[in-house]
Amino acid sequence: MTANADLSNKMGSQSLKLRRRVRVLMLLDAVDYAILAPISVQRFHTLAFLADVLSPIFGLVPISGKILKRRSFPYFPELQWEIDRLIGLDLVTPLDLTPIVEKSNAYVSFSLALQRTRSSPVLDIVYSQTEFSSLRDYFRELAGALSNIQDAELDSVTKLDVTWDSGHAGAVIDYAEWRAQNYSKMGADRIEKMAVQAFGDGDARLSPTAKINLYVKYLKRVANG
């Protein structure tokens, strides 16, 4: 069996671990597409969080259903584990390593860049499947929407996302697992309704792309006062 065929079979079995690893590569590919690379770990986890909570707008299912609000920004330990594995496989390159002390926590922050030459053959296999080509388009749209937000604004913008704001520090925020309270999707729906009413056509609907962009622009505008 060839390596390509082996990967295709594993993707067909929908291994969660492999899907998380592929998701990292796809998100970093979207980062390249939006000219955001290299991307800080903080921005990357925020992108992954928003990709989850806003995925129903594109008719997609989030890969994670909950997040522990353990830091000032979204952080997925299982996703970070996959990032570390991909760095070890030389598919992702870490850059700009910086020690961070946050209250009682200390860790090393860094930026991420796709190792394009080695990752392209893997992504070619992934994108040959319809499910993942649709996900690619969604990730690229979201990364493009976030490209207008500077790192210095990211914390304040993220804090205004209604799902992230719904939990206190140390709480588990459930948006697609048990209670499945996806306030981000509800907020985006509300903003869409207000937008179409403003144009005098309450029956109109925005495209998923327009809806994502409008939601991110709303967060940025409120964050900036």
Side-chain angles (χ1 to χ4, degrees):
M1 180 179 290
T2 66
N4 285 9
D6 183 53
L7 178 59
S8 296
N9 287 340
K10 287 181 179 178
M11 291 305 296
S13 69
Q14 298 190 0
S15 163
L16 180 59
K17 183 178 290 187
L18 183 57
R19 288 172 70 87
R20 284 194 183 119
R21 197 165 296 183
V22 167
R23 183 185 185 219
V24 171
L25 293 176
M26 291 178 66
L27 284 168
L28 286 174
D29 179 56
V31 165
D32 271 1
Y33 180 83
I35 320 179
L36 281 171
I39 185 171
S40 67
V41 168
Q42 176 179 355
R43 181 182 282 266
F44 183 81
H45 279 271
T46 297
L47 172 62
F49 171 72
L50 291 175
D52 264 354
V53 295
L54 297 177
S55 59
I57 293 175
F58 272 70
L60 300 168
V61 178
I63 197 167
S64 299
K66 63 183 185 300
I67 186 170
L68 175 62
K69 196 169 183 178
R70 55 181 295 193
R71 294 185 177 177
S72 60
F73 61 90
Y75 180 82
F76 297 94
E78 67 279 4
L79 199 64
Q80 187 61 45
W81 193 93
E82 300 303 343
I83 291 171
D84 295 342
R85 301 290 76 75
L86 289 167
I87 290 173
L89 291 169
D90 198 25
L91 293 172
V92 174
T93 302
L95 302 165
D96 306 323
L97 274 66
T98 306
I100 301 292
V101 177
E102 186 181 88
K103 294 184 179 180
S104 60
N105 297 319
Y107 53 94
V108 176
S109 182
F110 51 92
S111 296
L112 306 170
L114 199 62
Q115 223 289 11
R116 178 60 66 179
T117 301
R118 291 177 59 85
S119 63
S120 286
V122 178
L123 288 169
D124 286 344
I125 298 169
V126 171
Y127 292 155
S128 68
Q129 302 185 42
T130 303
E131 172 193 359
F132 291 98
S133 61
S134 299
L135 194 58
R136 172 199 61 198
D137 296 341
Y138 166 55
F139 284 168
R140 288 181 175 181
E141 293 291 351
L142 180 58
L146 287 175
S147 67
N148 293 317
I149 299 176
Q150 302 299 315
D151 278 353
E153 301 176 288
L154 198 58
D155 270 351
S156 57
V157 169
T158 305
K159 288 174 183 176
L160 289 169
D161 173 77
V162 282
T163 298
W164 182 251
D165 188 53
S166 67
H168 58 78
V172 173
I173 300 174
D174 169 25
Y175 52 85
E177 191 158 318
W178 307 305
R179 292 177 298 133
Q181 298 294 318
N182 190 330
Y183 298 115
S184 302
K185 168 66 165 54
M186 295 165 62
D189 288 344
R190 175 60 179 163
I191 293 169
E192 175 191 39
K193 184 176 180 180
M194 293 171 63
V196 296
Q197 287 178 341
F199 286 101
D201 189 352
D203 295 325
R205 290 291 180 271
L206 299 178
S207 69
T209 296
K211 198 168 177 178
I212 290 286
N213 277 278
L214 187 62
Y215 182 72
V216 172
K217 286 180 179 177
Y218 167 80
L219 293 181
K220 180 179 180 180
R221 187 180 70 180
V222 175
N224 290 334

